[in-house]
Amino acid sequence: MTPADLRIYGLIGNPVKHSLSPLMHNAAFSYLNLNAEYKLFEVKPQELRSFILTLQEKKIYGLNVTIPHKEKVMDFLDEISNEANLIGAVNTIKVADDRLEGFNTDGEGFLKHLTKELGFVPEGKTIAIIGAGGATRAISVHLAKRSPKAISIYDLDKPKAEALARHLEINFKDLEFRVSDSIEGLNIKECDLLVNATPIGMKETDPCLVDQNLLHKDMLVYDLIYNPKETKLLKTARLIGARGSNGLGMLLYQGAISFQIWTQRPAPFEIMRRALEEGVKYI
Ligand code: NAP
């Protein structure tokens, strides 16, 4: 192996400096003895096109994509998976010879963590999601594929939630999608799963997103936030005896799926998990 053979992978976004992805991908490359490195690339919107169109020159073989580029980057790719098209965003790019292929592994990563590790069975279940942004687009498509009874969505920006619900209704005709005017309107007491897909809970000063008396002990509360380890919402869920999970598992699974897309090898999952758990610096 020579430095010339080095394969570069990485994350593009703005900002990217707090990303945990290098921890898990570099641990996986090193474990499998691959001459590869995962780097962070802070790319401004006006630089996106030229960055993407020169990936081969830069010896970049694969990328993850984060805010604010997940939608715009689709304009510069040769092929987009059905799933990424349905979600309307790409979080993984594979550089294949002279082609750029786009995928979305966020929703699948969430669902794998939810079903394989937390044992949640979406079929026939009632689900509430707070937030209707990019993460909700990805996870709602994957939840919808598993035929839940109903998915209710609340976002401060109601038209955004309505547009997402319409999109889901068109693509999943037999399912029920509701848009709520408020958190109370989500009827969380009747839900089996509540997902927080907003950034509320990341800051120490953030309030608890949901009142304790709206939750119940037989539900699962999944907060996509992974830092802090336990948001106020998760703490409240724990105090009433409900199960909770933060988003570190989703991060791990989406990363492992991206790794497999790039390298065509099974991801060394436990190595990646350990690298994340040992490397994360909780606030
Ligand atoms: P996003 O596109 O900005 O969407 C967040 C949505 O939540 C926005 O529509 C926002 O509305 C809405 N919102 C904000 N405060 C709210 C409130 N109090 N009540 C209701 N809605 C509210 O962000 P995203 O990419 O979907 O990410 C959402 C969260 O998931 C972030 O914390 C992100 O870090 C996390 N995430 C985790 C993973 C993982 O692997 N664990 C992956 C992706 C995302 P406005 O635009 O009007 O503010």
Side-chain angles (χ1 to χ4, degrees), residues 67 70 106 130-136 154-157 160 183 196-200 202 209 224-226 247-248 250-251 254:
I67 290 171
K70 285 186 180 186
D106 278 334
I130 309 176
T136 296
Y154 164 65
D155 193 291
L156 285 175
D157 182 346
K160 195 194 262 186
I183 289 192
N196 174 31
T198 77
I200 306 301
M202 292 173 93
L209 202 49
L224 262 50
I225 295 169
Y226 49 79
L248 199 68
M250 172 177 174
L251 183 75
Q254 65 76 32

Side-chain angles (χ1 to χ4, degrees), residues 24-25 28 31-32 252-261 263-272:
M24 63 175 157
H25 288 295
Y31 178 77
L32 294 174
L252 171 62
Y253 276 90
Q254 65 76 32
I257 302 164
S258 297
F259 187 93
Q260 280 168 218
I261 289 172
T263 64
Q264 304 290 308
R265 288 174 182 238
F269 195 75
E270 292 308 323
I271 298 293
M272 296 173 81

Side-chain angles (χ1 to χ4, degrees), residues 6-268:
L6 179 73
R7 288 179 169 240
I8 297 169
Y9 296 86
L11 171 70
I12 54 163
N14 190 15
V16 289
K17 61 178 182 291
H18 298 298
S19 169
L20 298 178
S21 292
L23 287 172
M24 63 175 157
H25 288 295
N26 285 327
F29 291 142
S30 157
Y31 178 77
L32 294 174
N33 223 1
L34 298 177
N35 190 17
E37 188 180 349
Y38 189 99
K39 296 182 170 184
L40 297 175
F41 300 102
E42 197 152 291
V43 174
K44 296 191 174 69
Q46 62 273 26
E47 299 162 347
L48 182 65
R49 183 174 185 277
S50 67
F51 189 92
I52 295 296
L53 297 182
T54 53
L55 291 178
Q56 283 100 335
E57 276 168 43
K58 295 196 278 275
K59 294 199 188 307
I60 293 177
Y61 286 77
L63 283 178
N64 284 132
V65 185
T66 189
I67 290 171
H69 303 315
K70 285 186 180 186
E71 290 91 17
K72 186 67 191 160
V73 80
M74 296 170 85
D75 294 347
F76 311 124
L77 306 179
D78 300 298
E79 206 173 307
I80 293 170
S81 72
N82 290 339
E83 196 164 65
N85 263 323
L86 191 55
I87 292 167
V90 157
N91 82 328
T92 300
I93 298 172
K94 180 178 182 176
V95 183
D97 296 326
D98 56 347
R99 300 181 61 70
L100 302 179
E101 299 171 3
F103 304 85
N104 192 308
T105 68
D106 278 334
E108 191 184 342
F110 167 79
L111 204 82
K112 278 201 163 146
H113 182 231
L114 183 75
T115 55
K116 287 175 100 173
E117 288 202 21
L118 302 173
F120 186 85
V121 179
E123 282 80 358
K125 298 290 176 15
T126 304
I127 297 168
I129 306 177
I130 309 176
T136 296
R137 285 214 309 272
I139 68 174
S140 59
V141 161
H142 280 265
L143 285 167
K145 283 185 182 176
R146 295 288 296 266
S147 307
K149 185 172 171 201
I151 299 181
S152 302
I153 304 170
Y154 164 65
D155 193 291
L156 285 175
D157 182 346
K158 194 176 179 197
K160 195 194 262 186
E162 286 171 337
L164 175 59
R166 267 197 307 277
H167 174 72
L168 291 165
E169 270 159 12
I170 290 166
N171 288 285
F172 299 93
K173 293 198 168 54
D174 298 335
L175 297 186
E176 187 183 341
F177 299 96
R178 301 179 200 141
V179 172
S180 173
D181 285 321
S182 62
I183 289 192
E184 289 74 15
L186 284 170
N187 290 329
I188 297 169
K189 283 263 189 236
E190 286 161 28
C191 288
D192 303 290
L193 172 67
L194 170 69
V195 182
N196 174 31
T198 77
I200 306 301
M202 292 173 93
K203 291 195 233 118
E204 173 103 51
T205 50
D206 283 344
C208 180
L209 202 49
V210 183
D211 274 357
Q212 179 173 325
N213 60 14
L214 296 177
L215 302 172
H216 67 90
K217 71 173 179 39
D218 298 321
M219 67 187 312
L220 173 62
V221 178
Y222 195 118
D223 201 324
L224 262 50
I225 295 169
Y226 49 79
N227 204 354
K229 190 173 187 178
E230 188 180 58
T231 58
K232 286 177 185 156
L233 173 62
L234 289 179
K235 185 172 178 203
T236 305
R238 178 168 57 77
L239 291 176
I240 63 146
R243 283 205 304 151
S245 173
N246 69 23
L248 199 68
M250 172 177 174
L251 183 75
L252 171 62
Y253 276 90
Q254 65 76 32
I257 302 164
S258 297
F259 187 93
Q260 280 168 218
I261 289 172
W262 296 326
T263 64
Q264 304 290 308
R265 288 174 182 238

